[in-house]
Amino acid sequence: MRFIPTSAFGSVFDITPRILKKMGIRGIILDIDNTLARHNDPEPLKDLDKWISSMKKNGIRLVIVSNNKAPRVSPFAERIGVPFVSDGAKPLPIGYHRAARLMRLPKRMICTIGDQIFTDMLGAKLYGIKPMLVIPIEPEKSVFFRIKRLAEKPFLPKTYHIRRK
Ligand SMILES: [Mg+2]
């Protein structure tokens, strides 16, 4: 099934430079909402800065692609020091394509990390990069999102990699 992610993790913190290197990944396209921060929360996850700097130290390039608007995405991206594409139109390839050009890496060296099957994972598959799913930080409250999450259920992986602390 084309939506099923290659790998699934508890959170971004379970994805390490070592795992990425083993997969031949040199660049990550990052989702924001419910992946790096709560939905529309300007505050990144605690210790996200450490995670980002360890990626950068290991030569992993990072670009944010969000379907959210620039006023949400731009200050957040600046705060964590990562370039961004807003209005990314996921699952269409356009935002991923712009991000890949910013990273100057071939598709086979790029993965995406996100929390949604029908935007992040489907988009990655359509564009041809490796999809890596994370569990959403918190459940969304809107009816629209609850329906979306229900629709994701048949496509969710059975196992998630979670690192012991
Ligand atoms: Mg998201």
Side-chain angles (χ1 to χ4, degrees), residues 31-37 39 66 90 113-116 119-120 136 140 145 149:
D31 172 54
I32 298 181
D33 290 302
N34 249 340
T35 297
L36 303 182
H39 213 94
S66 173
K90 295 179 281 188
I113 301 177
D115 68 294
Q116 283 194 60
T119 53
D120 305 301
E140 294 88 358
F145 244 111
R149 291 298 183 191

Side-chain angles (χ1 to χ4, degrees), residues 30-33 64-69 72-73 84-90:
L30 288 164
D31 172 54
I32 298 181
D33 290 302
I64 286 168
V65 175
S66 173
N67 280 355
N68 222 325
K69 306 261 172 226
R72 155 61 167 158
V73 180
F84 71 94
V85 175
S86 57
D87 292 293
K90 295 179 281 188

Side-chain angles (χ1 to χ4, degrees), residues 36-38 40-46 72 76 79:
L36 303 182
R38 288 179 172 77
N40 282 321
D41 187 347
E43 196 68 35
L45 285 175
K46 188 178 166 280
R72 155 61 167 158
F76 186 88
R79 179 159 181 182

